[in-house]
Structure formats: C-alpha cells, structure tokens
Amino acid sequence: MILSRPQLLFSTTACARTLQAKTLRKASLMDGLIMLQIRQGDLLSETTEGIVNPANPRLEHEDGLAGHIVRQGGMVIQQESDIALSKQPVRQINVGNAIATGAGSLPYKKIIHAVGPVWENDGEAKVAQLKSAITNSLELAG
C-alpha cells in the first residue's frame, strides 16, 4: 500500500515508472498480525500478497494508478470489477467501501479496490469515510 498524497487513500505519484521504494511509515496492527507500511514508489514493483487500488465508485479503471494496474494485469481485472458492480443495487460502490478482485497476470493474490473520500469540506465526515475504507480494505485483506 502506498500513500504519497494525504488526500488520497493508498496511491502513488510514480505509478508509471519504477522507483526504489522508500518506506515513510510502519505500523503493527492487531497485536502484530498485520504490518502496515506507507511507502512511496511504484506500487506494482512491491513484493506483497495484495495491493490496494484507490478506486472511483464506478470502478472505472481507466486512468492513473487504476489504469496502470489494468494495463499491467490485464482486462480481467476490469471485467471482475464490472461483475462485482452488477451485483450492487445502484451499480457503484459507496464511499468508504471496498471490493476485492483477482490480480490478473500480476503476482498478487488479490487487488482490493477501496473507494475513499474526495477531500473538500466536512472534514469529520471525510475522516469517517477514510477510516471505513481502510477498515474494509483490511478486512478483505485478512
């Protein structure tokens, strides 16, 4: 998981080029069962079991990091996202929620697509949505 801009959930500014990843913060959660690292670099160069994609509510993986993930992992990631959306009553994922798909040809067990808030006003509500997105992502990772 990579966080390079505080207003976004798990993102990278260097998704299209390889950088030596730099660890910015580490935390142990749930009595050491989960190790959370905030790193800066190319998310797809990380050796890990899964990654978290900062998704839009419609799971349209066209641009930015999401587009990079699909271009590298294959359209099956978008297809699995579309199937997950077809099971939702309004064909979108609510802010604060997350879904998991396979990783296509990427070397991960799964990709978690988390919908975080867009930061404008109403900081308390946005913090609650961000906490929800992180909690839901960790549950799916478990």
Side-chain angles (χ1 to χ4, degrees):
M1 294 178 247
I2 296 180
L3 178 70
S4 62
R5 294 187 286 169
Q7 72 272 20
L8 293 178
L9 175 69
F10 311 123
S11 187
T12 179
T13 58
C15 63
R17 64 182 187 275
T18 301
L19 294 176
Q20 184 176 4
K22 173 182 163 186
T23 300
L24 303 176
R25 297 272 193 270
K26 286 184 180 182
S28 179
L29 308 171
M30 299 176 64
D31 294 324
L33 293 176
I34 295 175
M35 176 57 75
L36 177 68
Q37 291 188 29
I38 299 173
R39 297 169 59 90
Q40 183 176 19
D42 181 359
L43 181 65
L44 299 185
S45 68
E46 293 294 317
T47 302
T48 185
E49 292 184 15
I51 58 173
V52 178
N53 169 40
N56 60 61
R58 293 163 314 287
L59 300 181
E60 295 168 340
H61 311 309
E62 298 169 351
D63 299 315
L65 179 59
H68 182 58
I69 290 169
V70 169
R71 283 189 296 279
Q72 297 301 310
M75 282 303 294
V76 67
I77 298 167
Q78 182 64 64
Q79 293 164 352
E80 288 183 29
S81 295
D82 293 342
I83 290 168
L85 275 183
S86 71
K87 298 174 183 175
Q88 301 295 317
V90 291
R91 292 196 53 84
Q92 72 176 25
I93 305 298
N94 291 330
V95 174
N97 289 335
I99 64 123
T101 66
S105 62
L106 294 171
Y108 310 115
K109 292 181 180 177
K110 64 176 94 172
I111 298 173
I112 298 168
H113 306 275
V115 181
V118 176
W119 292 89
E120 292 169 354
N121 298 320
D122 195 18
E124 278 188 45
K126 302 300 181 191
V127 168
Q129 291 172 329
L130 181 59
K131 285 181 181 179
S132 178
I134 292 169
T135 299
N136 287 322
S137 296
L138 290 172
E139 287 174 0
L140 288 171

